[in-house]
Amino acid sequence: MRARFAPSPTGYLHVGGARTALYNYLAVRATGGEFILRSDDTDTERSSGEFQNDILDGMRWLGLEWDEGIEKGGPHSPYRQSERLARYQEVARSLLDLGKAYLCFATAAELDEMRDVAKAEGRPPGYDGRYRDYDSEQARKRLDGGEDAVIRLKVPRPGETVFEDLVRGEVRFNHDHVEDFIILRSNQTPTYHLASSVDDVDFGITHVIRGEDLLSSTPKHILIGEALEAAPIAYAHLSLLMGPDGKKLSKRHGDTSLRAYREAGYLSEAMTNYLALLGWSFGEDSDIFTLEEAVARFSLDAVQPNAAIFDNDKLEWMNGVYIRAMSDDEFADRVAPLITAEYGELNELQHVRLRMILPHVKERAKLLNEVPGQVGFLMTDDIDYDRGSWDKVMTAPEAKMAVEDGLERLSNLDRWDAESIEGELRAMLEHLQLNGRKGLQPIRVAISGSTISPPLFESMEALGQAETVVRTSRALDLLLESGANLGDS
Ligand code: GLU
């Protein structure tokens, strides 16, 4: 099996493109063969090196190593369409010489008119074939005289192209709906149909696995392959991705580039796992699997033709599963760069606090990027109270009682670990007849600045007794002095 991923570097790698790349990778690795990465960069105006690099980075991040192609090289180099223009021109001309394609001189005005006529007659719009049987001598002469001409493929008529899509089953296209399409433009650049089909033939591609948006191009590609007398290629068209609202995944659903997910703190393993499930299932037993495990079970036959929903909530949940599966050390290593990016190089005290709290953060985190914010109260001894948190919790009548009583107990505690802290604070709740929410939230705000923090007792243990007491008494002072309002500071 030889399959290719052929992105156009005209934008960042999108999650839909990443899913196509992944399915190509899985199909090849499951059967044995080569996975080829080609660049469809004939649109020089919209293509850029930045997008090309983003695509390569994204694939590497997901673990989708390719065997041949961009940056790897291989027996069919170059793998960039912009470097193969002469080859496409050569093929177009040879099809012309063989009478399988023809020169067409129709002007833009003529084409517009054809569209209007077709519309008026209720036919699908398309080229009417007016140069199909044009005298070839005459055509040569006009070309040599400097007239502009395109080359069109002579689609067999009447006729039909039928193929067995590996995902969708039998697909039929009556040639009444396939115009004699352009393969080479008058400026000698190939159309996508020509460049893609010639590459697939030249690179010995056996399977084309791509998005359903390209299904209507497939009869054209098959016809070019037949005109070249090439071995038939198997096609598999993957359903498009939808947002949870059932509409085609697009900008309206937010930034759907792979890099946006990467930057938001998703793990590549979770992303790969999730993408694999968009149209395929691992089995009844599990939704969580490694890339190697997916390879062992994957088959194109089992890919579903119906639309797949890209659901951020499920992806986020899955990311949390992967985070919890990490060892504490691995988690600490992975968040370390994010934490130093936020707070600079850490001192010994910060290291000690982090080491204590991270295992508890890990148990609850969904995204790596939320971690620096969650541990911020441990990285500084000068915390800011979040005003919303303060107003919500500290203005309640019980707050002062809880902070005052808590402070007294915490100052006198002679063992400083989460369990002892918990014992003492539960005794405080009992004593004051308060429930956990009423009695402990004020303490949480006092030590962390916010109603949202890692687990309270562990947070206090990591903060240390001295600093806990300092913060709690500062909060109490504020409560006494302002009559519970944080004031304008
Ligand atoms: N370059 C095309 C695209 O990015 C895909 C070509 C193909 O898979 O045939 O849409």
Side-chain angles (χ1 to χ4, degrees), residues 27 68 70 90 127 131 145 196 235 244 256 261 293 300 338 340 343 400 411:
E68 266 177 59
I70 306 300
E90 169 190 296
Y127 175 70
Y131 283 93
S196 184
Y235 288 87
T256 53
Y261 286 91
E293 287 167 337
L300 277 175
L338 301 174
T340 43
Y343 304 107
K400 189 160 68 74
S411 315

Side-chain angles (χ1 to χ4, degrees), residues 4 6-8 40 192 196 210 214:
R4 87 301 193 274
S8 303
D40 284 10
Y192 155 63
S196 184
R210 62 186 175 193
L214 295 169

Side-chain angles (χ1 to χ4, degrees), residues 259-437:
R259 73 204 312 256
Y261 286 91
R262 185 174 177 176
E263 283 165 8
Y266 286 91
L267 302 174
S268 64
E269 304 91 307
M271 197 70 196
T272 313
N273 188 155
Y274 184 66
L275 290 174
L277 291 168
L278 299 174
W280 178 72
S281 75
F282 185 68
E284 314 263 279
D285 47 336
S286 180
D287 259 2
I288 304 290
F289 47 84
T290 64
L291 191 55
E292 293 69 43
E293 287 167 337
V295 164
R297 287 199 196 179
F298 189 83
S299 117
L300 277 175
D301 302 344
V303 173
Q304 295 300 309
N306 39 311
I309 306 277
F310 192 94
D311 177 357
N312 274 318
D313 292 341
K314 178 151 189 207
L315 172 60
E316 198 174 279
W317 165 80
M318 190 166 276
N319 205 57
V321 171
Y322 274 87
I323 287 178
R324 288 192 292 286
M326 286 183 194
S327 69
D328 289 347
D329 285 346
E330 196 184 348
F331 180 69
D333 286 347
R334 289 196 60 165
V335 295
L338 301 174
I339 291 174
T340 43
E342 184 87 26
Y343 304 107
E345 280 309 314
L346 304 184
N347 61 33
E348 188 49 33
L349 178 66
Q350 289 170 318
H351 272 299
V352 170
R353 288 176 176 176
L354 268 184
R355 208 171 303 131
M356 292 174 81
I357 202 65
L358 280 182
H360 306 287
V361 171
K362 188 189 87 175
E363 287 311 308
R364 289 157 189 82
K366 286 194 173 129
L367 296 175
L368 294 183
N369 285 20
E370 63 192 32
V371 175
Q374 286 184 15
V375 300
F377 73 101
L378 294 170
M379 298 293 99
T380 170
D381 282 343
D382 187 21
I383 56 160
D384 289 326
Y385 295 107
D386 166 60
R387 178 167 288 265
S389 297
W390 184 280
D391 290 347
K392 187 161 149 213
V393 168
M394 294 307 213
T395 49
E398 312 79 15
K400 189 160 68 74
M401 277 167 28
V403 172
E404 191 160 32
D405 195 86
L407 173 61
E408 163 100 29
R409 290 166 184 272
L410 294 167
S411 315
N412 294 329
L413 197 60
D414 40 62
R415 272 179 65 93
W416 195 255
D417 55 47
E419 203 181 318
S420 312
I421 297 166
E422 177 169 7
E424 210 46 44
L425 291 180
R426 294 220 178 275
M428 176 273 280
L429 295 178
E430 178 95 355
H431 175 67
L432 299 176
Q433 295 288 296
L434 293 176
N435 65 26
R437 192 172 45 81

